[in-house]
Structures are given as C-alpha cells and as structure tokens.
Amino acid sequence: MSPAYTLRVAEDPVDREACFAVRKEVFVAEQGVPEDIEYDAHDAVAVHVLAVREDGVPLGTGRLLHGAAAAGKTGGDPAVGSLGRLAVSRAARGLGVGAALVRAIEDAARARGLTAVDLHAQTHALGFYERLGYTAYGPEFPDAGIPHRAMRRSL
C-alpha cells in the first residue's frame, strides 16, 4: 500500500508557504516559539522539503542548510549540512511523516556532496532521532526557551 502522502522539495512560492504554515502551526501555535524568531534569513537559501496529503493538505516540513548558511550550526565544516525546522502537524503524527522527511533531507544533503547532517533536537525528540541513526553530542542548551541537544549522523 502506498503512503497517503508524498514528499517533494518545495521550490515554488505556494509550497514554501505551505512549509511556513506547518511551522507556524507546530512551533508558534503549539510550542509558543515567537513568530519573529521562527522565520529567518536562512529560509531564503535553505532546501525546504514538504510532505503533502493526497488531497493537497500539508502535513510536515523540514529544511536543509548547507554551505555558508550551515556553518554556524555545524562547527564550520563545509561537508556537514544542518537539518532544522522539522515539523509535523498534529493530525499526521505517528504516520511516519517525520522519519520520511528526515530521509528526504538526508537525500538532499547527499545530492549536494555532504558527508554528514547535524541538527539541534528538542530533548523530548532525542529518541526519534536516535532511531534514525543520529548521535547526541555536547551539553543541553536552550533554543527559544526549549531544551535542545546537538546531534549528528554520517551519511
């Protein structure tokens, strides 16, 4: 049975707005992240991936930073990308959307010649990323008032 959603790189403005809408639902509305820090200059250069239900409803998103945009999050290693802003709508949780988005972002990283992906995981999500092959490193730190840990996976 095929999944009830598809994944694609968000290249047109409509897809990008769908990505931002999911992020607003999850991070701003659910988690209380201030809207003025949820969106940043990296959005213009990031590779955004979008999960969309068969009827066109956006279910989840995530982004990949690479090159200079990723340097501040990856220790400056140009071979390492930064996965971020992974968000899945409440209605789609438990359907495998998050894991599929991570794998699609990793595929985008490989296509750009990257050898690893870093991310900053909310601590409650460490187990999710560990199951996908990520390893935590460094101390816990706050981001938008939410505890996080840095994680990395070699590709």
Side-chain angles (χ1 to χ4, degrees), residues 8-99:
R8 63 180 179 250
V9 172
E11 295 180 342
D12 66 52
V14 172
D15 278 355
R16 291 243 177 163
E17 287 305 314
C19 292
F20 298 152
V22 172
R23 285 169 47 186
K24 185 172 185 174
E25 172 192 338
V26 173
F27 296 125
V28 178
E30 284 183 33
Q31 297 183 354
V33 173
E35 195 165 357
D36 62 332
I37 66 170
E38 173 52 31
Y39 308 101
D40 60 26
H42 296 306
D43 282 325
V45 297
V47 176
H48 298 269
V49 177
L50 177 64
V52 182
R53 201 167 65 192
E54 290 172 330
D55 63 1
V57 173
L59 299 178
T61 188
R63 74 178 188 186
L64 172 70
L65 302 179
H66 55 94
K73 298 178 180 285
T74 63
D77 186 339
V80 179
S82 176
L83 185 158
R85 302 304 203 268
L86 187 73
V88 176
S89 68
R90 187 183 304 274
R93 293 180 194 151
L95 302 177
V97 174

